[in-house]
């Protein structure tokens, strides 16, 4: 009988040592904890399970203005308590934490509501590849990286000085607040953020908003990623080149109409602006609602360049009227030359007119020496003088005839030069007026759009 007792005692001691050894292994601890564990059922605790969601933004991958999709690289942090996974640390040989595969225990169905991915690339699908950490008090934690693709309504009105607020709304798809409650930090973690080349992160805030559906309340937490576009690249490569091409159109008004290159320069600049816009078409966000102010600015620049061509043709047409012998209307001479010319401080060219005036005011000797008197004196002298005196008289007759012809030609040229110079003056006045008007409109347009974009 004593032998049986000793054998039974030895077996009990062996089992105690064996059990102590088993409980010291995390693998065996899981077998003990998960022996009757049902992973498809939420923790049946006395209070609703609280899920704490944390988000650390690693990088803004891209923001598509056309598709209105934001791609971000984030680190997700989920924490909750499962009362079925608690154990006594002393009984488990001091083991406080174990690592559990994703498919072994219950996990909350945290979902990104505005997810745009499909198939195996849905938001947070990487969860299944990362283990969970379980503490002795039943605290469960899971940290994993993922790439989120979410809907973001892009407002490119003030491109390239636009600011975008993209929400990331997380919530539970199945469990309402009576079973599982979702909460989180009121600010996203940016300690490990990597800067984006196009977008500057201004902040990432969070707010908890209940979502009502079929009379049930579902808790959601929304992280708002605030972004501001870096405008330097677009200003250097797009905005200022357009302004410079438009400014070069002003040079066409400085060219005299007689050069013949006035219209050619304006047309060349218009074609240059058109080609430049085709080359930089991909840099503009192709949004029609709302239409970016930059697109409106480009349309106005094209209209100004086209208007400069029309104005150049008008000035050239006025300049050619003087050569074609057109008479200047009295109204045009009164309004344009006398009033607008004085206002713009345009001086009339009086070179030919002063020359004609000097020719008309010849010396009295020319006016007194009329051809008939000279001829009579010459005839009378040739009848009584010698041959040498005759030659002198003939020379006087030639000079008198030349003076008479100059007098008649000067009178005709004086009349014609007045009309010609008036047309040149009108062309110069219109050119000066168009220059001031075009430069003012171009500068005002540039300043207004620059103030609106940077406001």
């Amino acid at each position: 009988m004593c032998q049986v007792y000793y054998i039974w005692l030895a077996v009990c001691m062996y089992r105690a040592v064996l059990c102590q050894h088993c409980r010291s292994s995390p693998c065996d601890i899981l077998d003990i904890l998960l022996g009757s564990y049902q992973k498809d059922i939420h923790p049946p605790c006395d209070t609703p399970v609280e899920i704490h969601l944390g988000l650390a933004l690693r990088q803004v991958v891209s923001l598509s203005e056309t598709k209105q999709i934001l791609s971000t690289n984030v680190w997700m942090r989920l924490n909750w308590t499962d009362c079925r996974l608690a154990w006594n640390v002393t009984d488990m040989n001091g083991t406080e934490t174990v690592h559990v595969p994703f498919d072994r225990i219950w996990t909350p169905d945290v979902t990104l509501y505005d997810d745009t991915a499909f198939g195996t690339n849905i938001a947070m699908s990487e969860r299944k590849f990362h283990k969970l950490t379980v503490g002795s008090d039943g605290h469960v934690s899971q940290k994993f990286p993922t790439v989120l693709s979410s809907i973001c309504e892009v407002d490119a009105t003030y491109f390239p000085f636009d600011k975008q607020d993209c929400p990331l709304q997380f919530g539970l798809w199945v469990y309402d607040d009576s079973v599982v409650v979702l909460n989180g930090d009121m600010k996203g973690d940016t300690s490990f953020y990597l800067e984006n080349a196009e977008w500057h992160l201004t902040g990432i805030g969070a707010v908890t908003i209940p979502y009502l559906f079929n009379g049930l309340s579902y808790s959601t937490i929304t992280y708002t990623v605030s972004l501001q576009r870096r405008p330097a690249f677009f200003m250097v490569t797009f905005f200022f080149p357009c302004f410079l091409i438009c400014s070069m159109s002003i040079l066409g008004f400085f060219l005299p109409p007689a050069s013949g290159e006035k219209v050619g320069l304006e047309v060349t600049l218009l074609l240059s602006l058109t080609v430049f816009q085709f080359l930089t078409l991909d840099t503009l966000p192709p949004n029609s609602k709302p239409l970016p102010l930059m697109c409106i600015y480009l349309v106005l620049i094209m209209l100004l360049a086209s208007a400069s061509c029309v104005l150049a043709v008008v000035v050239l047409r006025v300049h050619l009227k003087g050569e074609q012998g057109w008479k200047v209307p009295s109204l045009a001479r009164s309004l344009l030359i006398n009033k607008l010319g004085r206002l713009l401080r345009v001086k009339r060219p009086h070179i030919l007119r002063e020359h004609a005036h000097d020719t008309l005011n010849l010396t009295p000797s020319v006016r007194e020496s009329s051809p008939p008197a000279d001829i009579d004196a010459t005839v009378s002298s040739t009848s009584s003088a010698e041959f040498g005196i005759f030659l002198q008289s003939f020379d006087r007759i030639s000079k008198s005839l030349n003076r008479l012809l100059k007098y008649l030609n000067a009178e005709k040229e004086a009349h014609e030069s007045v009309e010609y110079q008036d047309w040149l003056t009108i062309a110069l006045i219109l050119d000066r007026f168009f220059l001031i008007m075009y430069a003012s409109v171009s500068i005002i347009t540039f300043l207004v759009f620059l103030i609106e974009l940077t406001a």
Side-chain angles (χ1 to χ4, degrees):
M1 193 66 182
C2 293
Q3 293 178 353
V4 175
Y5 173 75
Y6 288 130
I7 293 174
W8 179 81
L9 182 61
V11 171
C12 290
M13 292 178 63
Y14 174 76
R15 292 182 61 184
V17 172
L18 182 61
C19 291
Q20 187 71 20
H21 175 72
C22 292
R23 292 180 180 181
S24 63
S25 174
C27 182
D28 295 330
I29 294 176
L30 291 180
D31 292 338
I32 296 174
L33 294 176
L34 303 179
S36 59
Y37 187 88
Q38 295 182 357
K39 65 177 182 179
D40 297 329
I41 301 177
H42 69 277
C45 304
D46 297 335
T47 58
V49 180
E50 293 187 4
I51 310 297
H52 186 276
L53 173 64
L55 183 143
L57 183 61
R58 179 60 173 169
Q59 186 184 26
V60 175
V61 179
S62 63
L63 177 58
S64 175
E65 292 89 351
T66 307
K67 298 180 180 179
Q68 296 191 352
I69 295 178
L70 172 67
S71 298
T72 53
N73 187 350
V74 299
W75 293 347
M76 302 297 300
R77 300 162 182 170
L78 297 175
N79 296 276
W80 70 91
T81 299
D82 192 340
C83 55
R84 297 173 295 178
L85 298 178
W87 71 85
N88 192 334
V89 178
T90 305
D91 295 341
M92 298 298 177
N93 196 23
T95 303
E96 296 182 354
T97 59
V98 292
H99 300 285
V100 184
F102 176 80
D103 57 349
R104 297 290 301 275
I105 63 175
W106 176 85
T107 56
D109 58 336
V110 179
T111 306
L112 177 63
Y113 282 176
D114 294 330
D115 183 23
T116 60
F118 300 95
T120 58
N121 296 324
I122 60 175
M124 298 182 293
S125 60
E126 295 84 357
R127 294 179 59 185
K128 58 186 178 181
F129 301 110
H130 299 270
K131 292 185 177 182
L132 295 82
T133 301
V134 181
S136 59
D137 57 351
H139 181 269
V140 183
S141 175
Q142 186 182 26
K143 301 178 179 64
F144 59 94
T146 184
V147 176
L148 303 179
S149 297
S150 58
I151 299 175
C152 179
E153 185 176 357
V154 178
D155 184 5
T157 303
Y158 300 99
F159 173 88
F161 298 93
D162 53 329
K163 300 178 181 179
Q164 308 297 336
D165 294 325
C166 300
L168 300 175
Q169 187 177 15
F170 298 92
L172 299 173
W173 195 258
V174 176
Y175 302 102
D176 59 272
D177 289 348
S178 62
V179 179
V180 180
V181 178
L182 180 66
N183 55 43
D185 300 329
M186 292 296 100
K187 185 178 180 181
D189 186 7
T190 57
S191 303
F192 305 96
Y193 178 72
L194 296 178
E195 291 289 341
N196 184 274
E198 182 179 357
W199 296 96
H200 171 66
L201 179 67
T202 58
I204 173 170
V207 60
T208 302
I209 302 176
Y211 176 73
L212 299 178
F213 180 74
N214 287 339
L216 300 177
S217 177
Y218 297 83
S219 56
T220 63
I221 179 170
T222 303
Y223 288 91
T224 302
V225 181
S226 300
L227 302 173
Q228 183 175 5
R229 196 189 301 268
R230 303 180 189 271
F233 173 79
F234 300 97
M235 294 295 292
V236 173
T237 62
F238 186 79
F239 194 72
F240 284 110
C242 290
F243 175 73
L244 291 178
I245 295 176
C246 182
S247 301
M248 290 181 64
S249 299
I250 301 177
L251 298 178
F253 296 97
F254 288 97
L255 286 177
S259 63
E261 298 295 334
K262 197 175 186 67
V263 179
L265 177 61
E266 301 295 346
V267 173
T268 301
L269 292 175
L270 178 60
L271 294 177
S272 300
L273 183 61
T274 305
V275 173
F276 176 77
Q277 290 186 10
F278 275 109
L279 293 177
T280 58
L281 187 62
D282 295 336
T283 61
L284 284 175
N287 290 359
S288 298
K289 184 181 180 182
L291 187 66
L293 292 178
M294 183 64 72
C295 296
I296 301 177
Y297 175 74
L298 291 179
V299 173
L300 292 180
I301 291 298
M302 293 287 292
L303 292 177
L304 288 175
S306 302
S308 65
C309 297
V310 176
L311 297 179
V313 173
V314 172
V315 173
L316 189 60
R317 176 61 179 167
V318 173
H319 173 75
L320 294 177
K321 281 183 174 292
E323 298 180 358
Q324 296 173 355
W326 288 74
K327 292 185 178 181
V328 180
S330 58
L331 182 61
R333 183 180 285 108
S334 175
L335 294 179
L336 297 178
I337 298 179
N338 297 334
K339 294 183 179 180
L340 186 59
R342 292 179 181 178
L343 181 63
L344 300 178
R345 303 181 66 85
V346 176
K347 296 182 179 180
R348 301 175 66 180
H350 299 290
I351 300 176
L352 294 178
R353 180 168 296 180
E354 291 176 357
H355 176 69
H357 180 71
D358 294 339
T359 307
L360 290 174
N361 296 327
L362 296 173
T363 58
S365 61
V366 177
R367 294 180 178 271
E368 294 174 356
S369 58
S370 59
D374 292 339
I375 294 174
D376 293 338
T378 304
V379 172
S380 61
S381 61
T382 53
S383 61
S384 60
E386 297 179 354
F387 185 73
I389 298 174
F390 173 78
L391 294 177
Q392 294 178 358
S393 300
F394 182 78
D395 184 62
R396 291 178 60 189
I397 293 174
S398 300
K399 291 181 179 180
S400 299
L401 292 175
N402 291 332
R403 290 175 181 176
L404 180 60
L405 293 176
K406 289 181 179 180
Y407 172 78
L408 297 176
N409 292 331
E411 185 178 2
K412 181 179 179 181
E413 291 177 358
H415 178 72
E416 293 179 352
S417 63
V418 170
E419 299 294 334
Y420 180 76
Q421 290 300 317
D422 283 346
W423 282 117
L424 292 183
T425 303
I426 293 176
L428 182 61
I429 293 173
L430 291 178
D431 213 7
R432 181 75 58 85
F433 175 72
F434 293 155
L435 168 64
I436 296 175
M437 182 179 63
Y438 183 85
S440 301
V441 173
S442 300
I443 295 175
I444 291 174
T445 302
F446 175 77
L447 293 178
V448 167
F449 275 90
L450 188 61
I451 294 173
E452 286 292 330
L453 290 174
T454 56

